[in-house]
Amino acid sequence: MFQKIYAWFDERLGLTTIYNTTLDRKVPKVNWWFTLGSASLFLFLLQGATGILLSIYYVPSPDHAYDSIQYIMTGVSFGWLIRGIHHWGASLMVLTVFLHMLRTFFYGAYKYPREFTWVTGVILLISTLGMGFTGYLLPWNQRAYWATTVGTSIAETVPWIGPFINQVLRGGTDLSAVTLARFFSMHIWWFPAIIAALIGIHLYMVIRLGISHVPTAED
Amino acid sequence: MPHSPHLSRSDFVKVVTAFLGSIMGLIVGIPAVSYLISPARKGSAADDWIPLGLLENYPIGVPTLFSFTRTKVNGWERTVNSYGVFVIRKSDQEVTVLSNKCTHLSCRVNWIEADQHFFCPCHDAQFGIDGEVLGGPPPRPLDAYTGEDVKIEEGNLFIHFVEG
């Protein structure tokens, strides 16, 4: 019965082909450092799932941001767990993405023909940091407010166009409701869309070119 | 490869992956569903005994307005609502408590001393001192706090107030 249903879908969707190309690829003998990419992907999906859940209750307005998070933490069943996973998952994701980059660098896996995979990976790393920076403001507590004040002030030190960049980031001269709204938009729409698209390209390149082996003495 | 009675390595990995995946799915899935339906599982009926002060402070035979506020909390939002009741003391221990909300469209009624009736300014409704309809559009008498919804403890008057 199950075989028949599977065959029906397989004939139309090519499930076996997808399985063979994505999961049954030939890979060289590698070590645990090669799991960091999958770990980063898993964390991105986990952050997406918990983030969607948090957006059920969170309100990106100075009047309600802090109170709505207090409500998530104390008034909603397992709210503390969902937010806790999102909070710690964020730090862990920055860590795994960064270690993934270091592995690629030290094994020389960025070399021909994988330069473009490396370029998309660099943008993914920067976007992950962008997620961290924009997400940090959303609790709208003292730490969030002043961390963003300092962070956007650093952008101001760029010669000539620094003050302009600062105002674009803040949506004005000061941190305000406008800043919170645009950081929220960046955090839940812009960066996730960019990251999802780049992960697609990144994985396509990995499947198309295969992964590099652990360098030997001759390399 | 000859047919082995034991589980093959790849089948073993499949079973373990499916098993661990199911456990992880449940660990994440159950709290997630509970998180989503959480506000629906909380009761909304809020009732309380409202103290209206010493009964002896209310004049006999004259409806006296008592106003109070109740705070309602929905999630992170707090709403303060104002309510009013008329206390009509008949004798030392006998008392009638009427809501000041007109039963027509919920405007607030006033006691008109000269005419000895409650008057609603919205549609000219009139109620008698016991809340009965004397004229105008209201469908029923003013809501009254009677029986078990009124109590007097150590000279203090209380009404049993139910929100909504």
Side-chain angles (χ1 to χ4, degrees), chain B residues 12-114:
Chain B
F12 174 75
V13 169
K14 274 178 198 161
V15 168
V16 169
T17 307
F19 180 70
L20 291 179
S22 305
I23 290 177
M24 285 161 72
L26 285 177
I27 289 174
V28 176
I30 292 171
V33 171
S34 176
Y35 173 88
L36 284 173
I37 65 173
S38 172
R41 294 189 299 140
K42 296 197 173 78
S44 64
D47 65 316
D48 206 358
W49 283 95
I50 309 287
L52 305 185
L54 283 172
L55 184 60
E56 62 187 39
N57 290 348
Y58 288 97
I60 292 177
V62 182
T64 309
L65 181 67
F66 180 89
S67 300
F68 58 95
T69 58
R70 300 281 297 160
T71 305
K72 196 169 184 177
V73 180
N74 284 315
W76 54 89
E77 188 192 40
R78 299 167 73 82
T79 312
V80 179
N81 293 312
S82 299
Y83 299 93
V85 290
F86 279 105
V87 178
I88 306 120
R89 197 172 158 211
K90 299 287 172 61
S91 63
D92 267 357
Q93 290 298 308
E94 211 185 335
V95 68
T96 306
V97 182
L98 297 174
S99 164
N100 74 341
K101 198 190 271 182
C102 182
T103 52
H104 179 221
L105 290 174
S106 298
C107 292
R108 306 293 162 156
V109 300
N110 303 308
W111 174 251
I112 309 296
E113 187 64 35

Side-chain angles (χ1 to χ4, degrees), chain A residues 42 53-54 56-57 59 64 67-68 71-72 75-79 81-82, chain B residues 14 24 27-28 30-32 34-39 41-42 75-77:
Chain A
F42 174 79
L53 285 171
L54 287 173
I56 295 270
Y57 297 108
V59 177
H64 297 300
D67 289 337
S68 65
Y71 180 65
I72 290 171
V76 184
S77 312
F78 294 108
L81 181 67
I82 305 288
Chain B
K14 274 178 198 161
M24 285 161 72
I27 289 174
V28 176
I30 292 171
S34 176
Y35 173 88
L36 284 173
I37 65 173
S38 172
R41 294 189 299 140
K42 296 197 173 78
W76 54 89
E77 188 192 40

Side-chain angles (χ1 to χ4, degrees), chain A residues 105-122:
Chain A
F105 181 74
F106 284 120
Y107 281 1
Y110 55 85
K111 293 176 184 172
Y112 173 84
R114 301 188 178 83
E115 301 96 324
F116 191 66
T117 319
W118 170 264
V119 170
T120 54
V122 169

